[in-house]
Amino acid sequence: MFKIQKYKVIASLPKELNELRELAYNLYWTWDHEIRNLFRRLDRELWEATRHNPVLLLGNIDQKKLENRAKDEGYLSNLQRARESLEKYLGAKTWYQKQYSENAPFHIAYFSMEYGLTEGLPMYSGGLGVLSADHLKSASDLGIPLVGVGLLYQKGYFNQYLSKDGWQQESYPINDFYNMPIKMERDEQGNPLTITVQILDREIQVYIWRAQVGRVPLYLLDTNCPENIPEDQDITDQLYGGDTELRIKQEIVLGIAGLRALERLGIRPEVCHMNEGHSAFMALERVRLLMKENKLTFAEAQEATRSSNIFTSHTPVPAGIDEFDPSLMDRYLGHYCESLQLSQDQFHSLGGVHLPQSKGQFNMAIFAIHMAGVYNGVSNLHGHVARKMWHYLWPDLPEDEVPIGHITNGIHLPTWISEDMAELFNRYLGPRWFQDPSDKSVWNRIQQIPDEELWRTHERRRERLVAFTRRKLRQQLENSSASPADISIAEEVLDPKVLTIGFARRFAEYKRAKLIFSDLERLLAILNHKDFPVQIIFAGKAHPRDHIGKGVIRDLVNIIRGDEFRHRVIFLEDYDMEIGATLVRGADVWLNTPRRPREASGTSGMKAGINGVLNVSILDGWWDEAYSNNLGWAIGRGEEFDNPEEQDKYDAESLYSLLEQEIVPLFYNRSANGLPREWIRMMKNSIQNLSPVYNTNRMVREYFQTYYYPGLERWRRLSADNMGPIKQLAGWKEKLHQHWNDVKIISAESENGQDIQVGDQIRVKATIDTGSLKPEDLKVEVYYGPLDSDGTIIAGKNVTMQLQKQLKKNQYYYDAVVPCEATGQHGYSVRVFPQQNEIDKPSDTGLITWYSA
């Protein structure tokens, strides 16, 4: 084999257009319409062909077109304005600088398996990746000192096309990193910056690439290095591809190599956020570094790092969590655990292998929980579901006290709003709708927008959606070698004046894409109504190994191929961010039909909401807390049936009734000048009420104020004085575990009788034997509340008992007053937790003693 010398060719830009290159490499353009339009104006067809990739566009555009633009004064003026806009954005004083100006510099590291920044960077499969990208964008807007870490996939997620029988097929185009808006990190000599990580008996090399997201750098790891054997080069080949061995390799690279990459770049994060359990091995590397540098034990280093580790779960079902066979964990991480002085059993227990619910598997979510200080779900309902799902990890706590919180997801409004709607908001709301999107007073001005303007803006979006759908449908028919007659039909499908329903998401079985097809006769009557017709546009992918999801797509596609459907229902192939954005910007109704409570959050309905599209959804995920009858519709009332067929039948009936009796009549109920006044009123209510809450500006600020900054403060306290506080805390916890069984509640009783009036109080007294521990090590509580039919306390509350006196050696008398606030049968018990200043939650140690005499 002859040797090939490599060199990079870049676009030859006229000097007047040099600033286009700078603009292309900062992904700020993904949420700035003016900069995007600069690239689109160079060559509209090529912009579409490159999937909105400005680097590839500049590298392939006809040189004559560039030279013409270099002489175009209007274009150059817009280019100058766009450059100044980016400079102003990067130089502006941010929320973080205003609120935390006195704070010493620090870093938050955000780890995620995927990022949906733009369709031209195919490193995402769906909602998790888009949420991760929106998280970075809002961190940039807020000026929060956050860096992202992920993997750079040679093939990324797959492209989708359908066979003749409607079965999903996958293709994997190779990504050309040198023609993407990312740059390889290099050393002072210009050589690629690399780090190493051990996989089995090999040290593999890992490249580091950077995508600049406004103010936030996103570092992407790539194992496709010539020094690696082909098997190792392929580790970062596909997102969610391969078998469990490939998955564990990817997660080692993401977590361990990810933290090492930051170290190599001179970044030592004080706070680390694991977005799902894929990156949880990061916590091991963080422990290893601390043990090595500070001569700590594993327990001490774990205690120190978990104080500022955050774990966010996005799945409401155990099946959605990565699990590995313990033998596989030993094979890939046994050597690593030896360096941490961890025995095999100790390591396995961190992943819950010993728990019956884990069925002998190493569970990455349980591991992340053990290595983090705080954990959260992604909606209010998901918080409840997560506490129920993980209750067995805290078996002695009431379910509602399981220490899993929630921060409801949001969307990055500037990314997902249509250009037309953004211009309308600029006119009537001013710039604060995107500068401070959580300010509700700004959104109250929505009511000032004239109905005519809002409706005409929305109608333009629907017209563009129909044109886009026809164009895409024609392309997919041509690609499938359809007949000229079939291809010509693409020009006639849909009607830009008809009520349009959008449905686009991952085709998992629980999302029930076929629910609306439960009664074909009834659906056809709705679609083909003589005066009030309806049309639906579907898009979505199933995971390559999800044959049930693929079957749903096949069944749906074969239904809509019938003559009675083909003009009213369309399935668009190869769902990506462009298709998703076009749908949420142009539909009238956004349909969501998951089987409750399987949707952890969902964000597509939020994207629809900012564009004035009305949600029609099961009360699941975010819609369960957002729904109000003046801004959208709920399918059912949150009922959950044990029988899935019964559930589907009930929900389908509810959906049909809504369409027939409320949604369709409201849309077509027009005033004398042709405006659907009541529909517009709901659009305004939806925008006004949803936009200030369900956005990532609010979400990221909530993460910062609730988790990031408290984690930083705790980290700084514990790591002071050569880690003295953390050694003390770890020693105290070790003593607790050794002597906790000595703690006993000898007695617990109340002074009052059985019948007590509302407004009275009862005094509860308890005698506690502290054993080898001191009273200051303990927190004694009364847990009280109404009783259900089984005699179990529901909606329990607690009050701290006060130490009154010492009775004899190791025995102490406590009491507390419990208010009687409602009638009915009530009960109480007494419990003891460990207590220490550095314990945020009494349940942090997992130790609790209840009165059981």
Side-chain angles (χ1 to χ4, degrees), residues 280-537:
F281 295 140
M282 171 280 301
L284 283 181
E285 177 67 5
R286 211 176 167 204
V287 164
R288 186 191 69 82
L289 286 171
L290 216 56
M291 290 177 67
K292 179 182 177 182
E293 295 175 359
N294 296 276
K295 309 303 180 189
L296 301 179
T297 66
F298 178 85
E300 291 168 342
Q302 180 192 23
E303 193 64 49
T305 55
R306 72 187 296 269
S307 69
S308 57
N309 283 343
I310 296 103
F311 168 55
T312 296
S313 172
H314 294 261
T315 179
V317 290
I321 297 164
D322 281 345
E323 292 181 329
F324 298 110
D325 190 272
S327 62
L328 197 65
M329 299 296 292
D330 295 339
R331 185 175 168 219
Y332 279 93
L333 287 161
H335 66 282
Y336 196 90
C337 293
E338 287 177 13
S339 71
L340 299 175
Q341 301 165 19
L342 269 183
S343 71
Q344 186 182 76
D345 287 344
Q346 286 174 319
F347 180 48
H348 289 177
S349 69
L350 288 173
V353 174
H354 61 292
L355 298 171
Q357 295 86 348
S358 298
K359 298 178 181 177
Q361 295 295 292
F362 189 100
N363 184 293
M364 290 300 288
I366 293 177
F367 178 66
I369 288 171
H370 283 142
M371 301 302 289
V374 290
Y375 352 93
N376 70 283
V378 289
S379 70
N380 181 51
L381 179 60
H382 182 223
H384 289 286
V385 172
R387 286 188 285 277
K388 182 177 183 179
M389 185 167 77
W390 299 113
H391 187 196
Y392 65 85
L393 297 179
W394 294 270
D396 293 326
L397 281 179
E399 185 180 298
D400 61 357
E401 290 193 329
V402 169
I404 298 177
H406 83 274
I407 292 180
T408 301
N409 282 345
I411 61 163
H412 186 247
L413 300 185
T415 294
W416 294 101
I417 193 170
S418 72
E419 187 172 354
D420 305 271
M421 196 68 78
E423 290 174 357
L424 188 64
F425 288 179
N426 288 338
R427 280 202 303 278
Y428 289 94
L429 277 61
R432 288 190 57 222
W433 72 266
F434 63 86
Q435 293 172 347
D436 187 9
S438 298
D439 185 345
K440 294 184 179 182
S441 66
V442 174
W443 296 100
N444 291 339
R445 299 178 201 156
I446 284 288
Q447 301 299 335
Q448 299 174 13
I449 299 177
D451 288 357
E452 294 84 351
E453 282 197 64
L454 180 59
W455 187 244
R456 300 308 172 210
T457 299
H458 177 66
E459 286 199 310
R460 282 198 303 275
R461 297 309 313 170
R462 191 189 319 110
E463 289 166 4
R464 289 175 186 170
L465 170 59
V466 169
F468 172 87
T469 302
R470 288 172 175 172
R471 185 171 66 252
K472 285 285 185 182
L473 181 60
R474 183 181 183 90
Q475 288 173 358
Q476 65 191 52
L477 288 171
E478 288 174 346
N479 292 340
S480 66
S481 302
S483 68
D486 284 339
I487 293 174
S488 66
I489 292 175
E491 304 299 329
E492 303 171 3
V493 300
L494 307 182
D495 183 330
K497 299 295 183 184
V498 165
L499 171 61
T500 304
I501 298 173
F503 183 103
R505 50 188 42 84
R506 182 165 55 93
F507 266 65
E509 187 273 336
Y510 79 88
K511 292 181 183 281
R512 298 190 299 180
K514 291 197 301 178
L515 186 71
I516 198 170
F517 295 95
S518 299
D519 185 333
L520 295 183
E521 185 176 341
R522 196 168 177 183
L523 176 60
L524 282 171
I526 294 170
L527 296 175
N528 297 312
H529 192 283
K530 177 175 172 290
D531 300 311
F532 309 132
V534 176
Q535 56 198 17
I536 312 174
I537 305 173

Side-chain angles (χ1 to χ4, degrees), residues 7 12 18 31 39 134 145 213 307 372 551 573 677 685 721 801:
Y7 56 92
S12 176
N18 270 339
W31 70 95
F39 295 116
D134 283 7
V213 187
S307 69
E573 295 177 8
R677 295 284 184 183
N685 288 341
D721 302 325
M801 302 189 77

Side-chain angles (χ1 to χ4, degrees), residues 7 53 58 221 296 402 472 553 559 586 596 628 650 816 845:
Y7 56 92
N53 177 348
L58 295 176
L221 308 175
L296 301 179
V402 169
K472 285 285 185 182
I553 293 175
I559 289 171
R596 177 186 163 107
S628 173
Y650 177 86
T845 61

